[in-house]
Amino acid sequence: MVNFIQSLEASLHKGFINEKHTKSGSYTPKLLINDVKNNDHVLTSLLEELDKCQSFIFSVAFITESGLATLKSHLLDLKRKGVKGRILTSTFLNFNQPKVFRELLKIKNVEVKLTNLHGFHSKGYVFKHNTYYSLIVGSSNLTAHALKLNYEWNVKLTSHKDGEIVQNFQHQFEEVWRSSQPLSEEWIADYEKKYLQAVDSKAASQVTGVSIPYENDPIEENQKIMPNKMQQVALQEIEAIRKSGKEKGLIISATGTGKTYLSAFDVKSFNPKRMLFIVHREQILSKAKSDFQRVLGGEDKEFGILAGSNKQGGAKYLFAMIQSVSKDDTLHQFDPEAFDYILIDEVHKAGAKSYHKVIDYFKPKFFMGMTATPERTDDFNIYELFDYNIAYEIRLQEALEEDMLCPFHYFGVTDLEYNGQSIDDTTLLSKLVTEERVNHMIEKIQYYGFSGDKVRGLIFCSRKDEAEELSCALNKRGFRTVALTSEDSQKVREEQVKQLENGVLDYILTVDIFNEGIDIPSINQVVMLRQTQSSIVFIQQLGRGLRKHISKDFVTIIDFIGNYRNNYLIPIALSGDKSQNKDNIRRHMQDTSYIKGVSTVNFEEIAKKHIFKAINNTNLTEMKRLKEAFNELKNRIGRIPYLYDFVENHSIDPMVIVNKYSNYQQFLVKIKENVPQLTEYENKVLTMCSLEILNGKRKHEILLLDALLHQEKISFDKYLYLLEESNCQVDENTLTSVQNTFNLSFFTQTYKVKYGEQPIIVLDENKYFVFNKDIAKSLNLNNHFKNMITDIVRSAAEKNKSYQCNEPLTLYKKYTRRDACKFLNWTSDESSTMYGYKTKYNTCPIFITYHKNEEVEASRAYGDEFLDREVLKWYTRSNRSLKSEEVKKIIEAKENNIDIHIFVKKDDDEGSDFYYLGKAIPDKNTVQQAVMKDKDNKELPVVHMNMIMEKSIDSKLYHYIKGIKND
């Protein structure tokens, strides 16, 4: 209680009296806005409070289905914990639709009431905690746009439970609550009648005249269709490709982003004498022809189809099936130069012989390929086919940000446990379609719901027999479903899709025949009942619902997550992060703000544990994965990639490669790439630069290496100038540390041998930095060696952009114990004897593993704990007392001019890297002698104290570290 009051007082002083107040607290009043650029949203703070509260009350005038969807999985987790809440809302301006009230009734741990107060327009969220309340009050209603996208002002305040402001809020809420109407089915039915009457009345009042139907003029119609902002940029880039003399171009565009319209706009600009559009699915053909005609205008006879019995080969704009046009007798009817513009849709299929035959035969002036998924699991290189000319690329995240796709709410939900065991890779069909699992599935899809008047859903199953049996089971329960598999004809599939679109069917169940090449814009719910086999397939299936349609505001994605080995692919697919860095993937599980627009990603807590377990159990650095990523990038750029290419193309983190293989050269040799050889010493120098410089954690070494790669020597003064110009620290200890790194004196003997033993860079008697003679010789004679070193420097400089140069350590970046020794300017690496902490050279780095493994010996299982975002309860080593010299040094750190630095990792599964959380000072009032027991139940002395953080810890990282263990 005392700590809370002190922290609250400090927070209020900083928030309301003086922003420069040195002692800040975790409860500083905060302006909450939707900062799209920095992925910070009102929703983030709201969910943080919701997830840790004991109860809550919302008073909001307006609620949308999409807004409510952002909270549903969190509210379900609270229900499991026994946490309840109340929501007060209204029918003000008839904004709230009847359906959202039905959605509210599904949430059993939330009581809802309706007020008839005239002009009810409040927007307040109050969360009860143990001794205090958090309040978010301002302009945001419970809508997805207000919580994630709109320009909103909200203030987050913290009050002691006895504070006047929270008492006023409570009093106001209770006063209106008592006189309000409880939400019920009967009330909703009555409201729906009035709502529909009001809507009809409003629509009638807006009618200003009676429109008379007339026949559309196709030329006039096409002039109204204009490219959107992203398509305008794409068209400019495609034109630039042509102006540079290139005859081929590849468009990489996420499903639903309008590839067909984009290509039609480009054809209109190109104005070919004749055009050929090639597809591999007949249902795409008619749609493409229709879209092109809308954009281009012109008479019907100018647009023809070449497929099956349709042989309109003489049309100006010809839309052909690859199966038809590739037939010898058909193909040779055309002059090779008959078409000056040829497009291939879904060009990732072009590895087939039929495509190669057509591509090799025709000689157009411009060749365009379009795909959403250029990455292939086979050996075919799409990029090579188009001479590595990527004319335009937009992936899922960018498309969401540009509002090109329908927003989605993804829910990673918990699959059913069968006899205490989760569904996993080996589960039998008999267990996949049990009555309990069907009930569980129905419960989840009804709870998470859909946007629109009725469900139009796709359910992806793990195998054909599951789809068929599950369809029967759902039909017996009143749903209207059908199972479609690869055994069904194209005609049957098209008929069932029409049934779904027309509302005759609720769901189509399938395995993977609808992963691509199917266009059902009205889909408003996608259910995934199978394990994720690849990121590509995951995005393809999610993408089935991402096309915009007048009948929906968003699409609901419900992913049933069992105990699958490949669960780690889910955060990779959703975030688009290909770094193979486990820490990144774990962070994407906790912080999902990377999703743009009003879309959200949500995981039920148990499902989240399944994914963490899969991340931990997966070897992301196995050769197979690294080689696949390498080949993918090599295919894309048409040569052996440098490390910088991985950085630039957001592929594997180069550190993942070098941490496993010591340097990139050894990886290339391992995968049998034909690269020039290096001497044993050159290899060791490359290893040193890879493991010590490539990470980009300190700019000083990067600048010196870069300078010496461009000139034979550099004076000490010139080097100082370069550092000052980059705003880097130039104190004597830092400069000595840099020299100790390059002369290898910092390292242990093991590392000295690994790095070649002799100094790499020396400061000569004339105060010039120079490479040693062997390296200088290699750089002159071995161009490959020089390129590899240059590549490291270039990559390191790019990675360094996220680090500070005027401080030894950058907040929230990750460091090893050895890094701490180096960057705190210790003369040598003492990480092997540092253990939890060590005081030296007026610094004391403290390393904490927050969630200890159960196997950790009792005498080392310290109870370190964050009490809040600026107070850490910290324990010394066992067998230490208040009289211990090392303890006294830390308690008197301020008087002894010792800087205490706090490093924390979530648990041992994160490896040897720790997050740097900044400096701290001990609160002397909290220092206590205590005891802990060892494995033999023997009592050992220990000291604990509160460490007050210099800066309040970033809330997202704080909640990640404190959250559930990574298993």
Side-chain angles (χ1 to χ4, degrees):
M1 174 66 80
V2 174
N3 288 333
F4 168 74
I5 296 294
Q6 291 174 344
S7 183
L8 182 60
E9 286 176 346
S11 300
L12 295 174
H13 192 103
K14 188 177 184 72
F16 290 112
I17 299 173
N18 183 1
E19 67 172 340
K20 296 180 181 177
H21 184 54
T22 53
K23 188 176 180 183
S24 65
S26 299
Y27 308 103
T28 305
K30 185 180 178 183
L31 176 66
L32 304 182
I33 61 171
N34 292 316
D35 184 350
V36 177
K37 184 179 179 182
N38 294 309
N39 286 343
D40 199 9
H41 315 289
V42 177
L43 178 63
T44 304
S45 294
L46 193 152
L47 291 179
E48 282 176 4
E49 294 299 327
L50 189 64
D51 288 345
K52 64 183 181 181
C53 72
Q54 295 178 346
S55 65
F56 61 90
I57 57 175
F58 295 172
S59 180
V60 284
F62 302 149
I63 306 175
T64 62
E65 286 183 74
S66 189
L68 187 61
T70 65
L71 311 184
K72 277 188 173 180
S73 66
H74 299 266
L75 294 172
L76 196 64
D77 283 333
L78 290 181
K79 178 176 178 283
R80 195 170 49 83
K81 298 174 187 174
V83 175
K84 297 181 178 180
R86 293 183 287 168
I87 296 178
L88 180 66
T89 186
S90 74
T91 59
F92 183 53
L93 299 178
N94 287 314
F95 179 89
N96 292 337
Q97 297 181 4
K99 189 168 177 246
V100 80
F101 291 120
R102 292 196 174 93
E103 293 299 314
L104 282 163
L105 274 184
K106 294 178 183 178
I107 305 170
K108 302 304 180 185
N109 55 325
V110 175
E111 187 181 359
V112 182
K113 282 192 175 184
L114 294 305
T115 176
N116 57 7
L117 271 180
H118 181 69
F120 180 81
H121 208 236
S122 67
K123 298 113 178 169
Y125 306 83
V126 183
F127 307 90
K128 181 181 185 299
H129 301 280
N130 189 28
T131 58
Y132 67 96
Y133 285 82
S134 299
L135 303 88
I136 296 176
V137 183
S139 64
S140 289
N141 275 298
L142 186 45
T143 72
H145 277 82
L147 296 177
K148 274 207 81 183
L149 207 59
N150 291 350
Y151 184 73
E152 306 273 349
W153 276 23
N154 299 274
V155 176
K156 180 182 173 185
L157 303 169
T158 303
S159 168
H160 186 271
K161 63 182 180 180
D162 297 328
E164 183 180 32
I165 188 166
V166 76
Q167 293 298 325
N168 286 339
F169 269 99
Q170 291 270 47
H171 176 75
Q172 281 292 315
F173 182 88
E174 297 295 348
E175 188 176 301
V176 181
W177 182 263
R178 282 192 295 270
S179 61
S180 297
Q181 170 82 30
L183 182 64
S184 65
E185 289 284 4
E186 294 75 21
W187 182 91
I188 296 172
D190 184 56
Y191 172 69
E192 189 165 33
K193 293 175 187 174
K194 296 174 184 174
Y195 176 86
L196 292 173
Q197 288 172 0
V199 170
D200 290 343
S201 175
K202 183 178 179 182
S205 69
Q206 292 175 343
V207 175
T208 56
V210 180
S211 61
I212 301 172
Y214 65 96
E215 190 173 323
N216 288 345
D217 179 344
I219 296 176
E220 180 183 319
E221 192 71 17
N222 84 80
Q223 290 174 344
K224 298 176 185 177
I225 304 172
M226 301 297 291
N228 61 34
K229 186 172 73 173
M230 293 301 289
Q231 287 169 337
Q232 289 172 15
V233 173
L235 291 169
Q236 292 171 4
E237 292 184 15
I238 296 167
E239 185 59 31
I241 286 273
R242 282 197 289 265
K243 283 183 176 177
S244 65
K246 295 169 182 174
E247 298 175 348
K248 295 180 181 178
L250 180 63
I251 296 173
I252 303 169
S253 187
T255 300
T257 53
K259 292 191 296 292
T260 307
Y261 271 102
L262 173 59
S263 61
F265 288 128
D266 191 55
V267 168
K268 185 177 182 179
S269 170
F270 190 89
N271 192 25
K273 292 178 181 177
R274 292 191 72 193
M275 178 212 79
L276 175 62
F277 187 105
I278 302 172
V279 301
H280 79 289
R281 292 177 187 262
E282 199 164 345
Q283 66 264 41
I284 304 174
L285 209 61
S286 298
K287 180 70 167 55
K289 175 175 169 287
S290 172
D291 290 344
F292 265 74
Q293 194 162 2
R294 289 191 68 200
V295 172
L296 301 177
E299 301 177 41
D300 288 344
K301 66 181 181 181
E302 292 183 296
F303 297 82
I305 285 180
L306 180 60
S309 59
N310 286 317
K311 307 283 186 184
Q312 301 162 346
K316 179 178 180 179
Y317 304 109
L318 183 60
F319 297 81
M321 288 281 290
I322 185 63
Q323 295 88 337
S324 299
V325 74
S326 62
K327 290 179 180 177
D328 286 338
D329 56 343
T330 304
L331 187 62
H332 292 284
Q333 288 177 8
F334 296 100
D335 185 292
E337 296 182 0
F339 303 99
D340 38 1
Y341 195 122
I342 295 180
L343 296 103
I344 298 181
D345 194 20
E346 296 194 39
V347 75
H348 52 271
K349 304 283 186 184
K353 290 181 181 178
S354 56
Y355 281 94
H356 281 284
K357 183 194 291 187
V358 173
I359 291 168
D360 292 342
Y361 181 79
F362 286 114
K363 309 296 178 190
K365 291 179 180 176
F366 193 68
F367 216 129
M368 178 70 79
M370 302 185 292
T371 181
T373 54
E375 299 84 4
R376 306 303 304 151
T377 53
D378 53 28
D379 294 328
F380 175 58
N381 186 354
I382 298 167
Y383 302 102
E384 183 180 22
L385 184 64
F386 288 88
D387 299 336
Y388 307 100
N389 299 327
I390 300 173
Y392 173 67
E393 181 170 11
I394 181 166
R395 298 297 180 111
L396 177 64
Q397 301 293 353
E398 299 165 289
L400 286 169
E401 189 171 10
E402 293 297 328
D403 194 30
M404 299 175 75
L405 300 175
C406 176
F408 69 87
H409 295 297
Y410 169 92
F411 299 99
V413 308
T414 313
D415 210 333
L416 181 72
E417 290 196 348
Y418 186 84
N419 290 338
Q421 297 294 315
S422 295
I423 300 291
D424 63 18
D425 306 88
T426 61
T427 302
L428 300 173
L429 172 67
S430 58
K431 296 179 183 178
L432 291 178
V433 197
T434 61
E435 185 173 347
E436 292 83 2
R437 192 182 189 222
V438 175
N439 288 341
H440 178 74
M441 188 193 92
I442 292 172
E443 180 185 320
K444 293 292 186 184
I445 63 177
Q446 290 185 335
Y447 178 78
Y448 287 111
F450 55 89
S451 173
D453 61 343
K454 71 177 306 298
V455 69
R456 291 175 177 83
L458 283 180
I459 300 178
F460 289 98
C461 300
S462 57
R463 45 190 189 254
K464 295 175 186 178
D465 48 8
E466 181 193 10
E468 290 162 354
E469 291 198 25
L470 188 56
S471 176
C472 292
L474 289 171
N475 291 343
K476 287 177 183 177
R477 292 160 194 256
F479 291 89
R480 299 167 302 172
T481 77
V482 67
L484 289 179
T485 71
S486 56
E487 295 168 6
D488 292 297
S489 68
Q490 192 63 49
K491 184 178 180 182
V492 169
R493 297 181 200 180
E494 290 176 10
E495 287 173 354
Q496 300 295 10
V497 166
K498 284 181 182 176
Q499 297 274 58
L500 185 71
E501 289 182 306
N502 294 333
V504 178
L505 288 175
D506 299 320
Y507 291 98
I508 291 176
L509 290 83
T510 184
V511 180
D512 53 18
I513 61 170
F514 283 176
N515 289 357
E516 57 185 352
I518 185 73
D519 190 7
I520 318 174
S522 60
I523 290 290
N524 54 19
Q525 192 185 77
V526 176
V527 180
M528 298 176 176
L529 274 177
R530 80 294 163 276
Q531 60 173 308
T532 301
Q533 294 289 4
S534 78
S535 298
I536 296 171
V537 171
F538 180 92
I539 292 299
Q540 285 175 337
Q541 294 181 347
L542 180 147
R544 293 310 97 205
L546 294 184
R547 292 190 186 276
K548 290 188 172 185
H549 194 264
I550 194 170
S551 68
K552 64 184 183 184
D553 293 323
F554 61 91
V555 60
T556 303
I557 313 293
I558 306 171
D559 191 358
F560 285 81
I561 297 172
N563 191 21
Y564 298 129
R565 289 190 298 268
N566 284 353
N567 280 337
Y568 71 92
L569 289 169
I570 296 171
I572 291 175
L574 288 166
S575 65
D577 186 332
K578 299 180 181 179
S579 67
Q580 300 295 92
N581 184 314
K582 280 194 177 185
D583 184 50
N584 290 354
I585 301 170
R586 291 189 186 101
R587 290 292 299 277
H588 292 321
M589 286 298 302
Q590 186 71 21
D591 175 15
T592 60
S593 59
Y594 53 80
I595 289 292
K596 305 295 186 182
V598 298
S599 298
T600 58
V601 170
N602 312 270
F603 295 97
E604 293 177 3
E605 192 165 322
I606 295 172
K608 192 182 292 186
K609 287 183 177 180
H610 282 319
I611 297 176
F612 275 135
K613 181 180 178 182
I615 295 170
N616 295 339
N617 293 341
T618 300
N619 180 6
L620 292 179
T621 63
E622 66 182 7
M623 173 55 77
K624 179 176 177 288
R625 298 179 202 281
L626 298 184
K627 193 170 181 180
E628 280 176 1
F630 172 87
N631 286 333
E632 182 184 311
L633 184 56
K634 183 181 177 183
N635 284 347
R636 182 185 177 94
I637 63 178
R639 56 173 170 77
I640 295 175
Y642 283 105
L643 293 174
Y644 186 78
D645 292 311
F646 288 102
V647 176
E648 189 176 38
N649 287 281
H650 308 289
S651 183
I652 296 176
D653 181 350
M655 291 306 301
V656 170
I657 297 175
V658 302
N659 282 337
K660 182 160 186 175
Y661 292 97
S662 295
N663 65 54
Y664 190 41
Q665 170 77 7
Q666 290 182 204
F667 170 74
L668 293 174
V669 170
K670 185 78 174 176
I671 62 174
K672 297 181 170 52
E673 283 291 332
N674 185 20
V675 291
Q677 291 184 342
L678 297 180
T679 66
E680 183 182 355
Y681 181 62
E682 287 169 344
N683 240 310
K684 289 185 174 185
V685 172
L686 199 62
T687 294
M688 184 275 173
C689 292
S690 299
L691 296 180
E692 303 298 335
I693 314 300
L694 177 62
N695 57 44
K697 292 178 181 179
R698 187 161 67 179
K699 196 168 187 176
H700 300 65
E701 285 90 344
I702 301 169
L703 286 173
L704 184 52
L705 261 180
D706 185 52
L708 286 175
L709 284 170
H710 289 88
Q711 55 198 81
E712 191 174 311
K713 58 184 179 179
I714 181 172
S715 70
F716 185 87
D717 289 341
K718 180 64 185 294
Y719 176 54
L720 274 184
Y721 171 77
L722 291 175
L723 291 173
E724 288 169 349
E725 192 178 42
S726 295
N727 194 31
C728 293
Q729 283 185 304
V730 290
D731 59 279
E732 184 178 345
N733 289 338
T734 301
L735 294 172
T736 300
S737 173
V738 173
Q739 291 178 67
N740 290 345
T741 298
F742 280 122
N743 65 31
L744 306 189
S745 65
F746 169 80
F747 301 103
T748 61
Q749 185 58 31
T750 301
Y751 276 93
K752 285 177 182 175
V753 171
K754 188 174 185 175
Y755 294 161
E757 297 192 76
Q758 59 178 314
I760 289 173
I761 295 174
V762 294
L763 187 64
D764 66 17
E765 63 276 8
N766 297 317
K767 298 280 282 183
Y768 277 87
F769 287 107
V770 293
F771 282 120
N772 72 45
K773 291 179 181 178
D774 289 336
I775 295 175
K777 183 179 178 182
S778 288
L779 289 171
N780 283 326
L781 298 178
N782 189 338
N783 202 45
H784 176 61
F785 174 67
K786 184 174 184 177
N787 287 341
M788 297 294 268
I789 297 290
T790 302
D791 179 38
I792 289 172
V793 172
R794 191 181 179 201
S795 303
E798 187 64 31
K799 290 174 79 69
N800 178 258
K801 288 178 181 178
S802 61
Y803 288 86
Q804 289 180 296
C805 196
N806 58 354
E807 295 287 342
L809 300 161
T810 301
L811 272 178
Y812 314 131
K813 289 295 184 181
K814 298 195 84 173
Y815 298 90
T816 63
R817 288 180 172 87
R818 188 153 64 93
D819 288 335
C821 292
K822 185 196 293 185
F823 301 135
L824 291 175
N825 300 331
W826 291 21
T827 57
S828 60
D829 172 14
E830 299 187 37
S831 57
S832 62
T833 58
M834 186 177 290
Y835 309 112
Y837 58 93
K838 193 168 190 174
T839 303
K840 203 158 189 178
Y841 306 114
N842 295 107
T843 61
C844 179
I846 292 176
F847 290 86
I848 295 167
T849 302
Y850 200 80
H851 297 279
K852 276 80 172 175
N853 283 337
E854 293 175 5
E855 295 80 19
V856 168
E857 189 179 319
S859 61
R860 295 190 291 118
Y862 314 112
D864 305 313
E865 178 190 9
F866 283 114
L867 302 180
D868 55 47
R869 283 169 51 202
E870 76 156 17
V871 180
L872 168 68
K873 185 178 181 180
W874 175 72
Y875 284 73
T876 66
R877 283 187 282 262
S878 59
N879 270 325
R880 300 298 186 274
S881 70
L882 292 170
K883 295 179 181 179
S884 302
E885 284 303 314
E886 71 178 52
V887 175
K888 286 195 277 187
K889 278 184 182 179
I890 291 172
I891 294 171
E892 303 293 332
K894 192 172 182 181
E895 292 79 1
N896 293 329
N897 198 30
I898 294 172
D899 288 336
I900 296 174
H901 298 270
I902 306 296
F903 299 83
V904 179
K905 65 179 176 180
K906 188 179 180 77
D907 57 42
D908 282 330
D909 288 317
E910 293 199 345
S912 59
D913 283 12
F914 294 73
Y915 289 102
Y916 176 58
L917 302 185
K919 294 180 184 178
I921 55 170
D923 181 351
K924 292 184 180 179
N925 296 321
T926 64
V927 177
Q928 287 186 31
Q929 178 83 52
V931 294
M932 63 190 304
K933 294 182 179 181
D934 66 10
K935 61 181 178 180
D936 299 319
N937 215 31
K938 179 185 175 183
E939 290 190 345
L940 302 172
V942 68
V943 177
H944 64 78
M945 66 194 77
N946 288 351
M947 290 285 181
I948 311 300
M949 303 301 299
E950 184 177 69
K951 292 184 179 179
S952 186
I953 303 166
D954 171 77
S955 63
K956 292 176 185 176
L957 182 55
Y958 173 78
H959 290 293
Y960 169 68
I961 292 170
K962 283 205 69 170
I964 59 174
K965 193 173 183 291
N966 289 340
D967 62 20

